[in-house]
Amino acid sequence: MARKAGSTRQDTEAKIYLAARNLFARFGYAAVSMRQIASEVGVNQAALYHYTPTKQDLLAGLLTRHMDDLIAAYDAESHPDDPLLALDHFTRFHIAYHLTKPDEVFLSYMELRSLEPDHFQKITALRSDYEERLRHILASGLKTGAFTAIEPSITAMAILSMLTGITNWYKPGGRLSQDDIETYYSRLVLRAVGATPLAEENPQCSMRA
Amino acid sequence: MARKAGSTRQDTEAKIYLAARNLFARFGYAAVSMRQIASEVGVNQAALYHYTPTKQDLLAGLLTRHMDDLIAAYDAESHPDDPLLALDHFTRFHIAYHLTKPDEVFLSYMELRSLEPDHFQKITALRSDYEERLRHILASGLKTGAFTAIEPSITAMAILSMLTGITNWYKPGGRLSQDDIETYYSRLVLRAVGATPLAEENPQCSMRA
DNA sequence: GTCTATATTACGATAGAC
DNA sequence: GTCTATCGTAATATAGAC
């Protein structure tokens, strides 16, 4: 298995996906050219076509990987049975995962419309698959009485919008640590569904009351 | 003031802005050509340049108008002094306004990155101006004790993300009326900030409890 | 106010040498 | 596996006739 030093297929492929992700997230799919991506990788534009048949496939590959990874990461964790704990856990997981992959998240929300129909449906189905996990928690909590007066489908969308929106303003190294943010949003979410937040009667957290 | 029948400057300009808004919202600024816009309006591509110096100015004009209109519409309403009522009012206003102008809203969230620096700063400042109105309500409620254990800046972003996210799934004529949605989200929001929602002990609303 | 025609530049993708 | 060169197309924007 002799390899040329400095350039293997896997290496280059990873660099291409990384560059595409950064550029698409920053400027948008339609505004980025294959030449820009190649330039970022350090190869000629024509070389990209040994790794992806089209620009569209490059985008679809990025989004598919992201959604697959997200669902796999969530399913790999253990989930509390108690709805209140499960919702707290979901909130923290979603925030933590999304804050560590801001580009992928941004892309998967902004560039759905750049996908051709087949790819679009595939990604939309994967997203719905993930959302279903939150709807299930909300429905369980409604049944046990842990949550009150909520409609699971709408509430799931409301919560996901709220949590994902963090990526619009969060910058690492800011006033609040990631853990502060998780704790704060968990309280917002638990209150919103009519539950008593975990730390409500134990105000040691860093927020002013 | 003799006018040629069928085509005045104001008419055509309005059509151009309308077409640009629709197309940019649907396919993204970078993916839409001046030819497409002209075709939608029913004029030749070159005619557009009598109404806007560049494509970039067309986008900036759309976003500026939207933010100006949003702020003017909010300021034109009367705002309750009581923080709880004020927050309920803000929630309903934001939802109602955003659901009536889905394209403008979508554009102003998706195409900020397509703006060149000067325009970007201008729009960002206008947005912050609007957000400030919500922060003010939250800070007042914290002072009076109507809201508990919240941080106004973060909570404002959380609420705005949640409310604006409605435009991602709402379709007119669905299961829930706009008023149902306003009522439901007002409860989510008021609960989240630690207030007792207006209709909490009066569960005549259409949600199941 | 709108048109035809065009200058200039860039795009996605391919062919074929090395 | 990467390159040079290029094909065919389409982009923004402008010039100038009517």
Side-chain angles (χ1 to χ4, degrees), chain B residues 117-178:
Chain B
D118 282 359
H119 291 141
F120 177 85
Q121 291 201 340
K122 186 176 163 194
I123 302 295
T124 300
L126 284 171
R127 176 179 297 186
S128 173
D129 208 35
Y130 177 65
E131 293 167 353
E132 180 57 30
R133 287 154 172 75
L134 175 55
R135 282 193 287 272
H136 177 256
I137 293 172
L138 295 174
S140 316
L142 191 59
K143 212 184 310 181
T144 69
F147 311 146
T148 59
I150 59 165
E151 205 290 319
S153 298
I154 296 177
T155 311
M157 299 309 281
I159 290 172
L160 288 167
S161 293
M162 189 167 74
L163 300 183
T164 306
I166 297 173
T167 56
N168 291 328
W169 56 264
Y170 174 77
K171 295 285 176 293
R175 182 166 59 91
L176 297 177
S177 72
Q178 184 179 306

